[in-house]
Amino acid sequence: MSQSLDRALTILTELAGGRRTLDELAAVLDVHKSTALRLLRTLEARRFVQREDVRHYRLGTTLFDLAHRALEERDVRRTVEPALRELNASTGHTVHLASYEGGEVIYIDKYDSRHQVRMYSRVGKSAPLHCTAVAKLLLSALPEREQRRIVEGITFTKLTANTITDPTAYLAELRKVRAQGYAVDRSEHEDFIHCIGAPILGARGEVLAAVSMSVPKMLLDYDGLLALLPELRAAARTASAACGWRPDTP
């Protein structure tokens, strides 16, 4: 591992949480200020970092450009956009698109609710594996041996009274999701929001991504949420068809 590269990446990660001073960054890196300053000057020259004032640094424009270009390269995201945008427009509720990458479930697109109560989520943020509908869907599509390996590494943090905290129960939940073809987060991640999700399939019938719809409980009870399932699954089928899936795919 390159120590300088690792330190530079640590700086970027730290600045993702907000602006920092040279002293603060040097403390995080556990290096002298002169070492931190050399790294910052290199990052600043490439516009990965920008000096906000005499003392503070923040993320620069290059990172936002790279993030935008990376998202534009995601064919699934562009291909399914019309179907997901229509779902968001017809229901008024938050719609997420997520994919499984390198052991994480990542939100790769989001269409915000028209209601005042909204989810704290953003494109690029990872979704907890044990308590979100999109994660359940994406993990349920993996081979059982892979599921077990992943579940062994999950920290089953109890986020609400409904959060699944037992690995055996979670594996059973994945089997249920795979059999029924959709997933539910019944206030398992955030106690005031529940969510339903459906898979987006590719030409070979493989799960490319997951789409979910999140609704505050104050707007819609659980039965009302499940009543939206046909609309969600119809949008997922439309999105899947755009990705090359056909109903007769094995």
Side-chain angles (χ1 to χ4, degrees), residues 52-118:
E52 188 172 62
D53 53 38
V54 176
R55 298 183 63 245
H56 292 94
Y57 294 86
R58 62 182 176 86
L59 293 179
T61 56
T62 294
L63 276 174
F64 301 112
D65 178 54
L66 289 176
H68 177 74
R69 286 159 60 184
L71 288 172
E72 287 301 313
E73 284 299 311
R74 295 181 181 276
D75 291 340
V76 172
R77 180 175 177 266
R78 292 200 301 268
T79 302
V80 306
E81 180 179 356
L84 303 197
R85 194 173 292 282
E86 173 60 28
L87 177 65
N88 171 252
S90 65
T91 65
H93 299 305
T94 301
V95 173
H96 286 108
L97 178 67
S99 65
Y100 180 73
E101 303 176 16
E104 289 188 304
V105 170
I106 305 295
Y107 293 117
I108 59 176
D109 215 343
K110 179 185 180 183
Y111 302 86
D112 278 314
S113 167
R114 295 199 300 266
H115 304 290
Q116 290 185 342
V117 180
R118 299 186 179 186

Side-chain angles (χ1 to χ4, degrees), residues 138-193:
L138 293 167
L139 294 191
S140 72
L142 299 175
E144 287 190 14
R145 179 178 295 181
E146 181 70 3
Q147 289 178 14
R148 292 182 181 278
R149 184 190 65 79
I150 293 170
V151 168
E152 286 176 359
I154 292 178
T155 300
F156 284 86
T157 304
K158 189 174 183 63
L159 300 176
T160 75
N162 293 336
T163 304
I164 297 174
T165 57
D166 177 67
T168 301
Y170 185 67
L171 287 168
E173 177 78 356
L174 294 184
R175 290 193 293 271
K176 178 181 177 181
V177 168
R178 187 166 189 160
Q180 67 190 13
Y182 68 90
V184 174
D185 160 10
R186 194 168 184 176
S187 303
E188 298 166 41
H189 182 208
E190 296 176 284
D191 58 11
F192 62 96
I193 286 177

